[in-house]
Amino acid sequence: MVRIFLLYAVIVTVCNFLDSRALFKYLERYAADYRIAVSGNQKAFFEQWAREHIVILALSDDSFDATSNERLPVSGPPVPRSFHAKVIRDLTRAGAKVIAFDFLFAAPRPPDKDFAAAARNSGRVLWAGRFQNDGSESGAGTQLLLPVPALLRANPHFGHINAPKDEEQMGVSRIPAVTMYRGQPIRALSVVAAQMYLGLENEPLKRTTQGWQVGNLTIPVDDDGCFSIKYLGTEPGKIFEPLPYESIYHGYVDSDYYKQQEQKNNSKVTLRNKIVLIGDTTTLGHDVVLTPLKEMAGVEVHAHAIATILRNSFTRAVSPATDFAVLCGLTLLVCIVAASCRSTWAVLASAILLGAYCVFNIWMFVEHSQVLRMVAPCAAILFATIAVITERNLTVERARQRSSALLQRYVSPQIANYILANPDKCALGGTRVTATVLFSDIRGFTAMSENMTPEEVLARLNEYLQEMTNVVFQHDGAVDKYIGDAVMALFGVPFFHPDHAHQAVAAAIGMQDALLILQSRWREEGLPLIDIGIGINTGDMIFGNTGANERFDFSVLGDSVNLASRVEGLNKEMRTRILVTATTYEIVRDKVRARGPLTTHVKGKEEEVVVYEIFGWQEAGAV
């Protein structure tokens, strides 16, 4: 549990740190744009409201199409300012409340006098300005391009049309509400348009803890001084379907034109009390920007920004403390689930939690305009799932290795691995199997014990048992138990091997060879020598768990096991070293040198038993 808590703390710290790094900021901006795109088509009533209050008057390629009867009387852009003057007069007569130009009029031209007069008489015109950087990194060369003085004197309202140039930005989704220039606050075109529409154009601008305030209009901004645009719809040009500039120029602001538009669009078309944005959508003008809803004309971006301000549908980021609490809570939940469930269930639960958080995150944005961090919590869910499951698997594997090492101190590796791999079979009971059992016993152990201290006897016995055990393991056998100085070994269980009888005989011969090496060593050390007898039998037996619920033992039971033990006891009276029963001999007879059949009686058997004495292999290397 301590390791899980440490993983939790590390993951929270790392994800919170990465949230301020370039990659996570890039992904977070991508997530923000995706939320905007999803929310675009969720508010039908908002879309209808926006269409009823904001209109785009577009200067397009069709405005100069020579085949059109309604084309402008010029070959192409730029449009003479006298045209704009006429459009201002017609829009004013039609009752437009704000006439905002998404054009720069920074250079003087001869018709400016008529243009300025039209703007002055209207009193509803809004000009565009633009910040232009000379390329210096310090930004000291930034200039504000404004309309010519004659136009500003005629109507002083203007706003900048710049969008932030963020490296991680996927598209224009924010607008700097106010930009400070030479100590003066320069408001965005969309902000000024909203002020004029609400009659707040002469109200002072105030900086608040939330953002900027003009009268009762509050514009919340982020750390960069920008407000997020909440785009409507899913496709550019669908919400604010532009009116052709040339139609207004040709005087179609009378009732006949509106009636035609009503029949065409099945809706009431009027310019009265609306914000009219005039912009350039021509191919030559190339005023197109990337947005979360695909590419969009710059003038349409301003329309969405104005709708966001007027409907007060600003998105607001939750406090850093709330974001951090969400990160901590999700990470903790994943750590608890991953630490307490199986890996498969933990992965499934984390996947469900990841999807649920993404849906909740988008729902909070769409329904409540609340922005929660997306990337860091999602990364924390993934990291926590992978880290905790990996740590659990490593812990389980370490525990298994420790258990296996501890278990092998008491049983053979084969039985230890069988128990660890099949814990469900540790209940009392067994399975009928065909296997081979080997019993070995020391001859002369009692005499040796009488001439040695208990410590010396134990040292010699352990040395002997270690060598015999190694031989059994070399031939894929399992040491079932040590019975004093006797060894009981199994072949073919717990893991089946088709040649288990051959393995048992090979082990018996190997044990005799190992004993010869031990005898030679002990002889040089002046220690008493011992001999061993080995009995082997192949047959049916029960392999399984015997004993009580609190203390049990994996072993084999049956008459075939007892017979192997009785055969081992015959070695003393028959003065032999390796005896096998007829069933074992029939399996290995083509490979061994043997004497027999030898018929004898064993304890517990009324009928005679046939055994064979094994001397070794018929050919060297038969093992």
Side-chain angles (χ1 to χ4, degrees):
M1 186 57 69
V2 174
R3 286 193 293 268
I4 299 298
F5 178 78
L6 289 176
L7 282 176
Y8 161 75
V10 169
I11 290 169
V12 168
T13 302
V14 169
C15 289
N16 196 55
F17 170 77
L18 290 177
D19 193 55
S20 62
R21 302 297 96 186
L23 176 60
F24 271 42
K25 290 178 70 176
Y26 174 85
L27 295 175
E28 193 66 55
R29 178 59 60 189
Y30 186 88
D33 287 352
Y34 178 77
R35 286 192 296 259
I36 292 172
V38 170
S39 70
N41 204 25
Q42 300 299 314
K43 304 290 185 180
F45 69 92
F46 190 4
E47 297 172 9
Q48 181 62 31
W49 181 93
R51 280 192 289 266
E52 291 175 355
H53 290 77
I54 302 170
V55 174
I56 292 177
L57 194 62
L59 191 66
S60 66
D61 291 337
D62 292 338
S63 303
F64 308 98
D65 186 358
T67 63
S68 174
N69 294 329
E70 296 182 353
R71 64 182 293 270
L72 293 173
V74 289
S75 59
V79 173
R81 294 181 182 176
S82 59
F83 288 21
H84 295 322
K86 183 178 186 305
V87 166
I88 289 176
R89 287 191 288 267
D90 286 353
L91 290 175
T92 302
R93 181 164 56 87
K97 195 166 187 179
V98 179
I99 304 170
F101 281 93
D102 186 24
F103 294 110
L104 286 176
F105 301 110
R109 289 185 184 171
D112 283 346
K113 186 175 181 180
D114 182 43
F115 191 18
R120 182 183 303 106
N121 293 333
S122 171
R124 309 171 190 182
V125 176
L126 171 61
W127 311 113
R130 173 177 290 168
F131 291 102
Q132 182 171 288
N133 197 303
D134 62 0
S136 62
E137 295 184 1
S138 64
T142 299
Q143 297 292 326
L144 176 59
L145 300 181
L146 293 174
V148 294
L151 299 182
L152 281 177
R153 285 193 298 270
N155 198 314
H157 303 302
F158 72 93
H160 74 78
I161 56 175
N162 291 75
K165 303 296 184 181
D166 298 335
E167 293 182 0
E168 73 273 11
Q169 190 162 320
M170 303 298 295
V172 175
S173 58
R174 303 182 301 158
I175 295 291
V178 176
T179 300
M180 298 305 296
Y181 178 72
R182 297 180 180 177
Q184 295 296 319
I186 307 299
R187 293 163 291 175
L189 180 79
S190 51
V191 173
V192 181
Q195 286 183 243
M196 294 175 65
Y197 182 82
L198 297 174
L200 303 174
E201 61 267 30
N202 296 320
E203 293 290 330
L205 182 68
K206 299 178 182 179
R207 189 71 166 93
T208 67
T209 55
Q210 293 183 338
W212 296 94
Q213 184 172 355
V214 181
N216 59 358
L217 176 65
T218 299
I219 303 174
V221 296
D222 57 23
D223 293 340
D224 297 326
C226 300
F227 69 89
S228 295
I229 304 171
K230 203 162 187 182
Y231 285 95
L232 303 173
T234 57
E235 291 289 336
K238 297 298 183 182
I239 302 301
F240 302 103
E241 187 173 356
L243 291 174
Y245 179 95
E246 59 272 20
S247 65
I248 302 299
Y249 175 79
H250 287 300
Y252 295 156
V253 294
D254 54 35
S255 58
D256 290 339
Y257 171 74
Y258 290 136
K259 289 179 181 179
Q260 294 172 7
Q261 295 300 311
E262 286 179 22
Q263 295 173 358
K264 177 181 177 182
N265 300 318
N266 194 27
S267 63
K268 186 176 181 180
V269 178
T270 178
L271 297 175
R272 183 167 300 279
N273 293 325
K274 290 187 178 181
I275 298 174
V276 180
L277 290 166
I278 305 174
D280 185 355
T281 63
T282 63
T283 305
L284 185 62
H286 197 63
D287 184 17
V288 177
V289 295
L290 181 65
T291 74
L293 303 184
K294 303 176 184 177
E295 288 190 338
M296 180 182 294
V299 66
E300 189 175 356
V301 172
H302 297 306
H304 285 278
I306 294 170
T308 299
I309 297 172
L310 291 178
R311 289 291 297 179
N312 193 29
S313 60
F314 300 104
T315 57
R316 295 171 174 84
V318 299
S319 67
T322 301
D323 265 330
F324 187 71
V326 170
L327 176 65
C328 292
L330 289 174
T331 308
L332 180 61
L333 181 59
V334 172
C335 287
I336 292 174
V337 171
S340 57
C341 298
R342 296 177 59 181
S343 297
T344 302
W345 289 108
V347 171
L348 179 60
S350 296
I352 293 174
L353 180 62
L354 182 65
Y357 177 71
C358 290
V359 171
F360 173 76
N361 189 294
I362 294 172
W363 177 79
M364 286 291 290
F365 181 86
V366 173
E367 296 297 330
H368 301 283
S369 298
Q370 294 291 315
V371 179
L372 288 164
R373 285 192 296 184
M374 175 78 83
V375 179
C378 290
I381 292 174
L382 295 175
F383 292 166
T385 303
I386 295 171
V388 174
I389 290 178
T390 301
E391 194 279 336
R392 277 188 60 195
N393 291 338
L394 291 176
T395 300
V396 169
E397 182 60 27
R398 287 194 296 267
R400 186 181 184 281
Q401 291 174 356
R402 287 195 298 268
S403 299
S404 178
L406 181 61
L407 202 55
Q408 288 177 26
R409 294 176 180 267
Y410 301 96
V411 298
S412 68
Q414 292 91 333
I415 294 179
N417 292 333
Y418 178 82
I419 293 172
L420 293 172
N422 303 277
D424 55 319
K425 295 185 179 180
C426 290
L428 296 179
T431 305
R432 180 179 289 274
V433 296
T434 299
T436 300
V437 182
L438 178 153
F439 279 90
S440 72
D441 195 13
I442 297 178
R443 302 285 178 261
F445 182 72
T446 303
M448 181 186 72
S449 301
E450 292 174 352
N451 299 317
M452 302 173 67
T453 65
E455 291 79 10
E456 292 174 332
V457 172
L458 183 60
R460 296 287 78 75
L461 181 60
N462 286 340
E463 186 178 6
Y464 159 77
L465 291 177
Q466 183 65 59
E467 293 297 329
M468 299 303 106
T469 301
N470 291 341
V471 174
V472 171
F473 289 169
Q474 288 170 7
H475 295 282
D476 296 327
V479 175
D480 183 88
K481 59 177 64 71
Y482 302 110
I483 311 170
D485 60 325
V487 177
M488 177 181 174
L490 310 177
F491 297 86
V493 285
F495 301 110
F496 177 74
H497 193 290
D499 209 10
H500 49 80
H502 179 272
Q503 291 173 315
V505 173
I509 296 173
M511 292 168 73
Q512 290 290 349
D513 292 340
L515 179 62
L516 291 176
I517 297 175
L518 279 176
Q519 289 175 337
S520 175
R521 185 190 309 161
W522 291 346
R523 187 179 295 109
E524 293 177 358
E525 296 175 1
L527 298 173
L529 304 182
I530 61 172
D531 204 351
I532 63 172
I534 300 173
I536 301 173
N537 181 43
T538 301
D540 292 341
M541 58 196 73
I542 299 297
F543 171 74
N545 207 2
T546 60
N549 289 329
E550 294 78 14
R551 177 72 173 87
F552 46 75
D553 182 28
F554 271 91
S555 187
V556 289
L557 298 173
D559 187 60
S560 296
V561 180
N562 297 333
L563 181 57
S565 177
R566 301 288 189 270
V567 169
E568 185 278 320
L570 295 174
N571 283 289
K572 185 175 182 180
E573 62 182 73
M574 298 180 70
R575 298 181 182 279
T576 55
R577 287 186 170 84
I578 303 175
L579 289 177
V580 301
T581 63
T583 54
T584 302
Y585 178 74
E586 289 301 321
I587 299 173
V588 300
R589 62 183 302 169
D590 295 334
K591 298 181 180 180
V592 298
R593 291 184 293 108
R595 180 172 66 94
L598 306 174
T599 304
T600 185
H601 284 87
V602 297
K603 184 179 179 179
K605 290 280 187 180
E606 294 183 0
E607 67 274 10
E608 293 182 330
V609 175
V610 177
V611 297
Y612 293 82
E613 181 183 9
I614 303 297
F615 297 112
W617 303 108
Q618 290 182 0
E619 299 178 2
V623 179

